[in-house]
Amino acid sequence: MLKSKTFVKKTRSGGVLKVVREHYLRDDIWCGSEACAECKQDSTVLQRDACMESSLCPYPHYLVPDTNVVLHQIDVLEDPVIRNVIILQTVLQEVRHRSATVYKRLKDIAHEPGRHFYTFTNEHHRETFIEREPGESANDRNDRAIRVAVKWYSQHLKTPESDPDGLKVVLLTDDQGNKQKAEENSLLVYKFEEYIKSLVANPELVDRLALSNDDKQEITSSKVLFPEHLPLSKIQAGIKSGSFLQGTFRTSRYNYLEATVFVQGKGEDSTEVLIQGLQNLNRAVHHDVVAVELLPDNQWVAPSAVVLEDDGAAKDEAADGGEEEKVLEPSVTQAARQATGKVVGIIKRSWRPFCGMLNVSEIKESTRHLFTPADRRIPRIRIETRQASTLAGQRIMVAIDGWPKDSRYPNGHFVRSLGVAGEKDTEQEVLLLEHDVPHQDFSQAVLSFLPKMPWVITPEDLAKRQDLRHLTVCSVDPPGCTDIDDALHCRELENGNLEVGVHIADVSHFIRPGNALDKEAANRGTTVYLCGKRIDMVPELLSSNLCSLRSNVERFAFSCIWEMNHKAEILKTRFTKSVINSKASLTYAEAQMRIDDTNKNDDITQSLRGLNKLAKILKRKRIANGALTLSSLEVRFHIDSETHDPIDLQTKELMETNSMVEEFMLLANISVAQKIYDEFPECALLRKHPAPPPSNYDILIKAAKSKDVTIHTDSAKALADSLDVAKVDGFQYFNTLLRILATRCMMQAVYFCSGMDSDFHHYGLASPIYTHFTSPIRRYADIIVHRLLAVAIRADGTYADLMDKHKQSALCNNLNYRHKMSQYAQRASVAFHTQLFFKARGILNEEGFVLFVRKNAIIVLIPRFGLEGTVFFTSKNKVSPNLVFDEEGPTLKVEQHTFHIFDRVKVTISLDDSNIQHQKIRMALIEPVIPGVSVPAPEAEPPAKKQKLLDR
């Protein structure tokens, strides 16, 4: 049966367009129930014996939640206890429209066979489709559609009220009007909370209930603590008129009473508005999109220099927020003041489930407790739970439900427990969740697009590729690497020139655009490397097997091949899809030993020597052009072979072969960038590194000046040249420290679409154009670049999204976000393993260098461990020494001793685990000896146990 809907809509040009939509109604949409004898269905989802231990519904029953129940109570619906649920198409469409996250979670539940969630397409069923009536709102029509579908199910499954043990259909809604109308239609209907509380065998589900509006009112006090948020209509009008600004709210990590709102201007321009004090913060949470109103100039302030943490005791709801704010130091210097404002409304909440720990209430038998998030930028959350004694000492997840104007803290609900705090698996899970790293197992839908094993290269495959299996190709990687992206070769040609090839795993052959595998890889964006664990972007069959360019197996590659002379000048460049057979998978150390061993002259070694010689010339040229050689300390843990705990920690040493591989990867990336931009100037995916603003270099210039060294920062080349000649007699480590500091001054490199930007320059590499081509197993950006290059050389077909610069730009935003979060997750993993290491070692004493000077502390770098820590000179429990801070130096005078950047110091290092959620590495000063400040040196460290090496 065909229904058609006709309406007119206005076009952008002002014209009127008539739209006719056809809507098909069918008789062959089945109910999905085992108990049904009428439907001619091949398979069923809903069970005949659909029993749950409910005191309200002691008979077999199916549940039909309405849209708001799904949106707000998804945490409960995800529990395996909830089974035999009918998800109506009306509900699914509305959920999809209102929350992509909840929609995905609901679809994931529906795909679990053991959950028996059935999607019923009521909008296309002849007997359940309804037209919207004149004057009826879309919301009321949808509520009516849900009631009609529930009524149809009840009659279809023949479940009369008179049969007490028959199969029933239960509507779950929190909408009082919907519930009343359902009861008038003789439908079985309950509020969601009522039903969940009736599940007597599963009382823990009650803790997961999101608070209803009634509950929120009950928890809050009568005193209004915060200003009312403006409605969205007023906010939009204010933004349009310029009286309000829209931006992203970012809470200070160091001061819970302070935040900045990042306001994006036109092009690259952006401003930051400072927000101080509870009233002005007005219930905004980190990363919310907010509307701010600027305060009058005479109320502008400077960022507070005070470190302030919300110390845990639940503040009295009625207490005056001004008491807390007295500790904010108003700045007296006019120059330090900046644009200051207040939050007047929330445009978009950025709430997610937060990891943290429960602060159990001191009131005995209380069910209301405060939850402290692991991320200090998130406020404490008030939750109700009856499991407080069980959850104490555990890491848990909590979601925010709302933040009324008369509540000091937001209200929320318990989601799930992650495990005992401090345990390695628990902390790793927290780390991944807090950095939004997708780490669930790959779904069956994703795995279904993998090649069937055993996989073989067919004659048809060979016909489309260049056969390079005869070449002496080898790979050089860190020890233990199984996802080998790249391999190299170098050979002399008959004309005396050299042929150099970079061969990259042809991942795009296996991952086709738009399928579930491609979408998953695009969402993950990057492989995340933690200490002892790798979170793959693509399934292991590809990452460690079919795409990995392992030795002595045939693999598909995408090859970039140059003809060069002996001065490393490129004469010809070509790109081809190929088949290779790597002759050796070497570590950096093994490759270095081959190059250095004069007795070895086999083909692999000769190839490596040729590559190394050219790489040195390429690097010299790059540096001459102004490329920066910066420094950052990466660490390697020695891991106990039985407990897998770290038992030693040292910085990684780089060899010539590291640089050799890097040079050819850079060259391949630049060559490919130029090719795809020439072919697709509007939609090439490129990578740029913006030049830092001059103010970023202030600390570097001051630090060098303290040792009578001048640093020029007019250009990358000027900076590179200055760093090359920066030396201090008797201070060998000085140049490395300068380069570490210079690294901190840099901007973040980002992906972008060529059609959406005009500045392509890569500052650090001094290259006019750059992209990522060489690591498609672990970076999704490289897969897109492979696809663009394949189209450019006519090796593959194109598709719409690849040529859409707006979609390409949106993809770049996700890739930049995922890349940034993976870096943060990796650092957090190193920090956690560093804490484990020092927990086992007690107190150590080490030499270090002052990297930064603060008002009440010095930040010290320990080169041996690649570790940074803070030596505080003020403490709550003892009298502070006499401190004089000079911002110009910067220097800090402690009693009679003055600290400068790069001063050599000796410190004790230990783990402070007094706060299990926020454990810290503590440092205390040994030398220079300052009476009343320095501590005595501890005894020598105990010997290390047996170990095996593990790279981060």
Side-chain angles (χ1 to χ4, degrees), residues 862-880:
I862 311 296
R864 180 186 160 193
F865 298 136
L867 175 71
E868 264 178 57
T870 307
V871 176
F872 286 100
F873 296 115
T874 53
S875 160
K876 283 181 184 175
N877 307 325
K878 61 181 188 179
V879 180
S880 297

Side-chain angles (χ1 to χ4, degrees), residues 276-297:
Q276 268 191 5
L278 280 178
Q279 295 268 316
N280 293 338
L281 295 171
N282 197 7
R283 297 169 285 154
V285 175
H286 185 62
H287 273 164
D288 283 351
V289 178
V290 299
V292 291
E293 181 179 12
L294 288 177
L295 297 173
D297 290 12

Side-chain angles (χ1 to χ4, degrees), residues 535-762:
I535 314 294
D536 281 327
M537 180 184 81
V538 297
E540 194 177 13
L541 178 64
L542 296 183
S543 65
S544 296
N545 187 350
L546 300 185
C547 291
S548 184
L549 304 182
R550 302 183 305 184
S551 54
N552 304 313
V553 288
E554 294 176 357
R555 289 288 178 259
F556 287 160
F558 210 150
S559 301
C560 174
I561 299 168
W562 303 278
E563 185 178 327
M564 292 182 176
N565 60 24
H566 287 266
K567 294 179 186 173
E569 292 166 340
I570 297 170
L571 307 173
K572 286 181 192 168
T573 306
R574 66 188 177 93
F575 307 98
T576 180
K577 293 257 185 169
S578 61
V579 181
I580 64 166
N581 189 325
S582 173
K583 303 301 182 278
S585 301
L586 305 172
T587 64
Y588 291 118
E590 286 167 349
Q592 192 67 53
M593 283 190 284
R594 275 179 178 266
I595 291 168
D596 296 341
D597 188 345
T598 51
N599 297 320
K600 277 193 180 288
N601 285 299
D602 56 274
D603 288 350
I604 294 169
T605 306
Q606 294 282 29
S607 178
L608 287 168
R609 285 187 187 134
L611 289 164
N612 199 37
K613 188 178 172 187
L614 290 169
K616 287 178 181 176
I617 301 169
L618 288 169
K619 187 170 185 176
R620 278 201 301 273
K621 284 183 183 175
R622 240 178 7 92
I623 290 168
N625 285 339
L628 295 173
T629 308
L630 300 177
S631 185
S632 63
L633 294 177
E634 288 196 65
V635 299
R636 155 188 288 184
F637 290 93
H638 292 274
I639 298 289
D640 185 285
S641 55
E642 289 163 10
T643 66
H644 301 290
D645 286 338
I647 50 176
D648 198 8
L649 178 61
Q650 66 189 54
T651 53
K652 290 183 183 178
E653 288 178 33
L654 297 179
M655 303 178 186
E656 264 186 14
T657 44
N658 289 76
S659 179
M660 175 189 82
V661 172
E662 183 186 16
E663 286 307 315
F664 286 108
M665 296 305 113
L666 294 176
L667 190 62
N669 287 335
I670 292 166
S671 296
V672 170
Q674 194 61 59
K675 177 70 176 174
I676 62 172
Y677 178 63
D678 289 345
E679 290 284 333
F680 308 110
E682 284 293 298
C683 58
L685 192 153
L686 302 175
R687 188 165 176 81
K688 69 172 179 176
H689 182 215
S695 59
N696 278 32
Y697 288 123
D698 289 350
I699 190 70
L700 178 69
I701 293 166
K702 285 179 181 178
K705 192 178 174 185
S706 71
K707 300 294 180 190
D708 297 321
V709 170
T710 304
I711 297 288
H712 299 285
T713 58
D714 320 342
S715 66
K717 180 155 176 54
L719 175 60
D721 292 344
S722 298
L723 290 171
D724 285 343
V725 296
K727 289 180 178 63
V728 171
D729 291 339
F731 191 176
Q732 198 178 346
Y733 203 64
F734 173 72
N735 193 268
T736 305
L737 284 170
L738 263 190
R739 290 181 192 275
I740 289 169
L741 212 50
T743 306
R744 308 289 172 89
C745 302
M746 294 297 133
M747 304 291 281
Q748 184 79 38
V750 289
Y751 297 111
F752 69 101
C753 176
S754 58
M756 305 290 280
D757 210 323
S758 55
D759 176 21
F760 294 7
H761 191 74
H762 197 292

Side-chain angles (χ1 to χ4, degrees), residues 808-876:
Q808 201 81 286
S809 188
L811 174 65
C812 287
N813 290 340
N814 181 57
L815 296 180
N816 290 329
Y817 170 72
R818 292 293 188 205
H819 181 69
K820 181 175 72 176
M821 296 314 282
S822 84
Q823 285 184 320
Y824 290 164
Q826 287 164 24
R827 287 177 204 161
S829 179
V830 169
F832 174 65
H833 279 75
T834 304
Q835 289 169 6
L836 288 179
F837 168 72
F838 284 106
K839 189 173 188 175
R841 304 308 286 266
I843 302 176
L844 303 183
N845 58 335
E846 287 294 333
E847 281 206 344
F849 298 96
V850 176
L851 204 54
F852 298 104
V853 176
R854 298 281 185 253
K855 279 187 177 180
N856 62 342
I858 53 172
I859 292 161
V860 176
L861 176 74
I862 311 296
R864 180 186 160 193
F865 298 136
L867 175 71
E868 264 178 57
T870 307
V871 176
F872 286 100
F873 296 115
T874 53
S875 160
K876 283 181 184 175

Side-chain angles (χ1 to χ4, degrees), residues 334-453:
Q334 192 74 17
R337 292 166 71 229
Q338 66 183 71
T340 308
K342 62 180 181 181
V343 173
V344 293
I346 309 293
I347 296 167
K348 187 185 176 191
R349 285 291 193 190
S350 184
W351 294 345
R352 58 179 173 83
F354 299 105
C355 303
M357 294 183 73
L358 201 63
N359 286 33
V360 179
S361 171
E362 291 175 10
I363 303 167
K364 207 175 178 185
E365 304 299 320
S366 174
T367 58
R368 288 179 187 160
H369 308 272
L370 272 185
F371 161 84
T372 304
D375 187 340
R376 292 186 183 279
R377 295 167 300 184
I378 306 300
R380 285 179 160 73
I381 302 164
R382 194 181 300 285
I383 70 166
E384 284 211 36
T385 177
R386 291 148 192 80
Q387 307 175 64
S389 55
T390 312
L391 298 178
Q394 292 196 8
R395 291 279 204 171
I396 63 172
M397 287 181 82
V398 161
I400 298 178
D401 296 324
W403 195 343
K405 62 187 176 184
D406 42 9
S407 172
R408 171 65 181 78
Y409 297 108
N411 300 321
H413 65 273
F414 168 73
V415 176
R416 65 186 172 104
S417 172
L418 300 169
V420 177
E423 286 189 357
K424 206 182 304 179
D425 288 348
T426 305
E427 296 306 320
Q428 194 154 264
E429 179 74 2
V430 169
L431 185 155
L432 291 168
L433 289 165
E434 282 299 291
H435 293 96
D436 196 14
V437 175
H439 60 285
Q440 66 281 11
D441 291 341
F442 289 101
S443 69
Q444 282 306 313
V446 168
L447 298 175
S448 69
F449 286 97
L450 291 174
K452 302 293 176 277
M453 297 301 284

Side-chain angles (χ1 to χ4, degrees), residues 449-451 455 457 465 505-513 515 517-518 541-542 545-548 555-557 577 787:
F449 286 97
L450 291 174
W455 176 80
I457 296 174
R465 293 174 178 268
D506 189 5
V507 182
S508 62
H509 170 83
F510 297 97
I511 300 181
R512 303 310 294 163
N515 68 23
L517 177 55
D518 182 48
L541 178 64
L542 296 183
N545 187 350
L546 300 185
C547 291
S548 184
R555 289 288 178 259
F556 287 160
K577 293 257 185 169
R787 289 175 182 167

